[in-house]
Amino acid sequence: MQSTNTVDPGEVAKFEAMAAEWWDATGKFKPLHMMNPCRLDYITDQIAAEFNRDLTAPGAFEGLRLLDIGCGGGLLSEPMARLGATVVGADAAPTNIEVARIHAARSGLEIDYRNTTAEALAADGEQFDVVLNMEVIEHVSDPAAYLRACHDLLKPGGLMITSTINRNPKSFMVAIVGAEQIMRWLPRGTHEWKKFITPDELFDLIRGAGLNPVDRKGFVFNPLTWEWKVSDRDLSVNYVTASVRPGE
């Protein structure tokens, strides 16, 4: 299989520059730390439903092979490993992988972190029960080609969770003006509004890649409680989707 690289070198450089702060809950990745409980609730619920797992049981995800694309410092890879999944964390930024490996070792977790891309893994014939594709698609150069690689990475019947940011005036004010310029949660230029993708566009891209969308929800920040929650209706800024590769 030919490997088509959709990695945007400029986007990789942005996150390389912040790599040392991945596990600083008050640093440049504070927004992800704040959102992580909400993301994990959605991810674990979807995996449990798709594979008939009991989240209250020890090692609930044992026997599942999971890929965390754009894993960064391992904020999602580590909880998945603790739930018993066999985890591969992939990131195009080598410094992110070094940070992730060090933190996993300190935490006593066995996670296979690799400085690679989705396309390279697909070209090598790797396949997984679950692919986590969280806050990545708005940073790649060719979303359609990237999602085709994600399709190939899933076993038949496999589940992909994809989160990103909607493209509309509200998301510009919240994600660009608010998060980067006013609150300074992220360095200026972390996101490009024109790369944001609407939920309908993402569903079309997912279908075009050969996957079946099965769910979509919003991630909504409450400034009064300073917490994120999953919303059935509000997909106006941050949102997440679940899709399945048809069985063969």
Side-chain angles (χ1 to χ4, degrees):
M1 181 185 301
Q2 184 179 3
S3 174
T4 302
N5 189 357
T6 62
V7 170
D8 184 328
E11 297 289 339
V12 174
K14 292 177 188 177
F15 290 93
E16 280 262 81
M18 299 185 283
E21 298 192 47
W22 272 109
W23 288 95
D24 181 358
T26 62
K28 290 184 173 66
F29 293 102
K30 180 178 180 179
L32 282 183
H33 283 273
M34 293 171 61
M35 190 190 290
N36 225 34
C38 181
R39 296 197 303 169
L40 286 168
D41 282 348
Y42 183 85
I43 290 167
T44 54
D45 284 350
Q46 288 294 320
I47 295 174
E50 187 64 31
F51 296 98
N52 194 27
R53 300 302 178 99
D54 179 1
L55 289 173
T56 64
F61 292 168
E62 283 184 5
L64 295 178
R65 191 166 191 246
L66 180 146
L67 172 64
D68 183 8
I69 304 176
C71 64
L75 299 187
L76 292 173
S77 294
E78 291 201 4
M80 296 298 103
R82 288 191 178 94
L83 283 167
T86 300
V87 178
V88 174
D91 203 290
T95 307
N96 288 348
I97 292 298
E98 289 306 311
V99 170
R101 285 173 177 162
I102 291 169
H103 197 274
R106 289 175 177 169
S107 303
L109 295 171
E110 292 187 13
I111 299 173
D112 182 2
Y113 284 118
R114 306 183 196 178
N115 175 212
T116 188
T117 65
E119 294 81 9
L121 287 167
D124 288 341
E126 297 267 9
Q127 287 197 314
F128 301 85
D129 300 290
V130 180
V131 170
L132 300 185
N133 181 7
M134 309 295 286
E135 289 84 43
V136 174
I137 195 167
E138 70 270 24
H139 297 288
V140 303
S141 61
D142 186 341
Y146 171 68
L147 287 174
R148 287 194 295 271
C150 293
H151 164 277
D152 294 343
L153 286 165
L154 281 171
K155 298 177 183 178
L159 173 72
M160 180 176 72
I161 310 292
T162 306
S163 64
T164 189
I165 305 175
N166 203 341
R167 188 183 68 257
N168 54 39
K170 180 179 178 180
S171 70
F172 180 82
M173 293 303 298
V174 172
I176 305 294
V177 177
E180 295 185 15
Q181 299 176 14
I182 297 176
M183 300 301 291
R184 296 184 181 179
W185 282 346
L186 294 166
R188 286 179 181 240
T190 297
H191 290 109
E192 295 180 45
W193 183 79
K194 66 181 181 181
K195 286 189 171 184
F196 292 173
I197 300 172
T198 71
D200 287 344
E201 289 170 347
L202 183 56
F203 262 31
D204 286 344
L205 286 165
I206 288 171
R207 291 190 186 99
L211 301 172
N212 294 333
V214 295
D215 189 61
R216 62 184 180 185
K217 297 284 193 299
F219 289 152
V220 179
F221 180 67
N222 185 331
L224 297 178
T225 61
W226 215 245
E227 292 178 339
W228 290 84
K229 67 176 183 179
V230 176
S231 170
D232 290 334
R233 297 183 179 181
D234 188 353
L235 283 71
S236 58
V237 184
N238 296 84
Y239 69 97
V240 63
T241 70
S243 53
V244 175
R245 176 171 176 172
E248 294 179 354

